[in-house]
Amino acid sequence: MKQQGFTLIELAIALAVVGLIIGMGFKGRDLIDSTRVRSMQAQVLRIGTALQVYREKYDRLPGDGCDESMTCQGGNGLLDADEAGRAWTALASSGILNLSERNAAPGGQWVLRPADGELWLDLAVDRRFACQLDRLMDDGGSTTGLVQHRGDGATGWRVADDCWALARQTTVTARVMP
């Protein structure tokens, strides 16, 4: 009578194949997440460049001195919260930046935020992406430099942290104009 079943070698090969498939799935996710972070970096740089180009071309910041109908008069060289919201419309109507550039790769939209004479881009995002963007563009510390986090009540991340181990919503913020 012949016994049925798998040999030890057949089981080992099957487990190795399953392990390879699972490993490729995790590596694929890491590649996708890494691509999203690089896309965020490119967006921050494009938006910052668009703001500079607009200022050079029109001798003012986009939205500065503009009302709801986008009638712009004068301006003071700074943006308040309302003007920062109108900046997107001014950039789009000038042809310098497409409004789709506001849409971030991990989801959500970038928001211009004026603070102490500087312009910052804010995005509600998972801390893993914020931490990786900080490492890619800046010093890797969540409370220093050009890329920071704010608003989640947590201490953020440290330079030595594993970014992909962090899981919590935060707001990443990147300075685009001094």
Side-chain angles (χ1 to χ4, degrees), residues 38-52:
R38 291 206 181 274
S39 177
M40 288 170 58
Q41 175 192 27
Q43 286 177 314
V44 168
L45 296 175
R46 272 193 304 269
I47 292 167
T49 301
L51 291 166
Q52 293 288 354

Side-chain angles (χ1 to χ4, degrees), residues 123-127 149-152 154 167-171:
L123 178 67
V125 68
D126 190 290
R127 288 166 117 211
H149 92 105
R150 65 182 193 89
D152 69 355
R168 184 177 179 170
Q169 277 297 109
T170 192
T171 297

Side-chain angles (χ1 to χ4, degrees), residues 115-130:
D116 300 323
E118 299 175 331
L119 281 179
W120 294 78
L121 279 176
D122 290 349
L123 178 67
V125 68
D126 190 290
R127 288 166 117 211
R128 298 172 305 144
F129 293 110

